[in-house]
Amino acid sequence: MSKVYFIENVKSDYDQLGKDALLLLKKVVAETGHRFDKEVPIKVHFGEKGNKTFIPAACYDETINYLKEKGVSPSYIETNVLYRGSRTTTEVHLETAKAHGFNQIPIIIADGDIGTEYNEIEIGKEYLKSCKIGKAYGNYGQFIVMSHFKGHIEAGFGGALKQLAMGFAARGGKLEQHSGISPVVKAEKCVSCGICVNKCNYGAIEIMDFAVIDSSKCIGCAGCIAVCPTGAIRNTWTGSHFLEKLSEYAYGASKDKDNIYIAFVHNITQECDCAGMHMEPITGNIGVLASKDPVALDTACLELVQKNSGELLFDKGRTSLRHAEKIGLGTMDYELIQI
Ligand code: SF4
Ligand code: SF4
């Protein structure tokens, strides 16, 4: 059984949420004897342009100041996204982060300028033998993984597991979870400019009447998706076993890392912070939770949301939780300790 610490806070007072997060961080440190490394990146989500319900930068101030006081050097860390938006390349991603107020500490985009730099982490699990994890994650032994618990169309919910699985994966790793390996070209959007051909290091793209991807050569780095000026290249979003692959990527992302996980169960929207639009919360705020076990943390968040709403919201995400438990990432059996 894993311990999950919880502070109830239903108000939209971001300064207080930040204080609660720090209190829980200190609690986990005290209870587990956690020792910080000299450099500890904080994994966050900067929010897509137009999104208003991501966890704001102010919620991290207390944690940042605490780490600095302890002589620890903090940074934010993230990876570029798979789809075309305001966080597709490092250049626009940094602009979006700064526009959303994430100016306190350096920002590391772990998978390079267009999301193609990664380390292949061996996991040998049921659906995946290895994971493509953003290269810069390899430079650190621990992270404070801060997640926003809310809905997600494909995953059921987004919490700590998704923050690890998608948030640590390079663009090709995201593609691998969402679908098979190769993206596809939408013929009517392709202007045969050849930019993708020059980008592909594997000779997998040829211009016929339009660009065509040879899936036998494609390794799924997804670099072509980022450089296509017309958005003609895209992931098919049709993958099988997405929920299980998500758990296996979370396993790969956290393998040999000594992480602390904190979740803000606030602004609980139907869709995630990658949605660049205004969304109204679909149920009430709950508070902040923390644990060393991401599976226990997500299970506790899910069950608090379901209990509070009286509905089986986001329940499809239990498939990921069960698979995560099966492969040894953590346990769904938790003790909730309210502070
Ligand atoms: S970069 Fe896009 S528009 Fe240009 S050839 Fe490739 S698919 Fe077509
Ligand atoms: S076609 Fe080339 S650039 Fe595109 S995902 Fe495959 S390997 Fe990467």
Side-chain angles (χ1 to χ4, degrees):
M1 182 182 289
S2 291
K3 289 183 176 164
V4 178
Y5 301 94
F6 169 43
I7 296 179
E8 186 176 8
N9 181 346
V10 299
K11 294 188 187 147
S12 290
D13 175 344
Y14 293 125
D15 287 342
Q16 188 56 46
L17 277 181
K19 287 184 181 136
D20 293 345
L22 176 58
L23 203 63
L24 290 172
L25 177 68
K26 287 179 174 172
K27 183 76 181 165
V28 173
V29 168
E31 292 290 328
T32 62
H34 182 89
R35 296 175 73 88
F36 287 112
D37 290 344
K38 287 221 166 320
E39 294 178 88
V40 180
I42 304 171
K43 174 66 183 77
V44 295
H45 189 305
F46 300 125
E48 186 68 12
K49 189 175 178 183
N51 184 284
K52 304 286 179 215
T53 36
F54 64 91
I55 300 304
C59 288
Y60 306 113
D61 285 344
E62 295 277 343
T63 295
I64 288 168
N65 292 338
Y66 164 74
L67 291 174
K68 285 181 177 170
E69 280 161 21
K70 288 187 81 70
V72 176
S73 175
S75 52
Y76 287 128
I77 194 161
E78 242 299 21
T79 50
N80 289 314
V81 298
L82 181 55
Y83 54 86
R84 291 172 65 79
S86 70
R87 296 171 303 126
T88 307
T89 64
T90 294
E91 189 183 354
V92 293
H93 203 157
L94 292 177
E95 282 169 16
T96 302
K98 298 212 164 177
H100 284 176
F102 291 85
N103 297 307
Q104 310 102 316
I105 46 177
I107 296 173
I108 301 161
I109 302 296
D111 55 349
D113 289 347
I114 59 165
T116 51
E117 294 173 16
Y118 57 84
N119 293 318
E120 198 83 45
I121 307 291
E122 301 294 325
I123 58 167
K125 296 298 177 192
E126 195 173 335
Y127 299 97
L128 297 162
K129 297 297 159 234
S130 61
C131 300
K132 296 176 176 65
I133 302 299
K135 203 171 184 98
Y137 284 109
N139 299 337
Y140 306 95
Q142 55 183 223
F143 302 93
I144 299 173
V145 181
M146 306 280 233
S147 48
H148 174 204
F149 192 90
K150 73 281 164 202
H152 184 269
I153 285 183
E154 284 186 271
F157 61 82
L161 290 194
K162 189 157 173 304
Q163 190 63 302
L164 286 168
M166 285 294 163
F168 280 56
R171 177 173 278 119
K174 295 178 172 85
L175 181 66
E176 191 168 43
Q177 292 173 72
H178 275 297
S179 65
I181 284 280
S182 304
V184 293
V185 178
K186 208 166 182 190
E188 60 274 24
K189 291 192 89 176
C190 175
V191 296
S192 300
C193 66
I195 292 174
C196 57
V197 177
N198 294 333
K199 171 65 211 151
C200 182
N201 295 328
Y202 303 90
I205 312 180
E206 203 179 333
I207 304 287
M208 317 284 266
D209 290 338
F210 56 89
V212 175
I213 296 174
D214 180 345
S215 59
S216 66
K217 292 182 183 168
C218 171
I219 61 121
C221 73
C224 54
I225 296 177
V227 298
C228 174
T230 66
I233 310 181
R234 50 187 62 196
N235 173 34
T236 56
W237 308 102
T238 56
S240 57
H241 300 294
F242 168 72
L243 294 166
E244 291 86 353
K245 285 196 240 171
L246 188 127
S247 303
E248 295 190 2
Y249 252 84
Y251 181 95
S254 57
K255 188 179 170 192
D256 302 326
K257 307 292 186 193
D258 186 15
N259 298 340
I260 294 177
Y261 301 91
I262 297 176
F264 295 94
V265 193
H266 255 248
N267 291 347
I268 306 165
T269 49
Q270 187 72 53
E271 291 188 38
C272 71
D273 301 341
C274 298
M277 60 185 182
H278 175 75
M279 291 178 285
E280 289 296 332
I282 56 170
T283 187
N285 294 328
I286 305 269
V288 189
L289 290 85
S291 182
K292 290 278 274 188
D293 180 339
V295 182
L297 180 67
D298 274 359
T299 310
C301 291
L302 177 66
E303 293 181 352
L304 280 171
V305 167
Q306 293 187 340
K307 188 170 165 209
N308 191 48
S309 66
E311 295 178 61
L312 278 181
L313 291 174
F314 315 144
D315 211 50
K316 116 190 207 191
R318 278 189 192 272
T319 303
S320 291
L321 292 171
R322 282 192 287 266
H323 191 66
E325 185 174 65
K326 183 176 156 193
I327 63 175
L329 178 54
T331 174
M332 293 174 71
D333 191 12
Y334 64 92
E335 180 189 1
L336 191 67
I337 300 163
Q338 188 159 358
I339 293 169

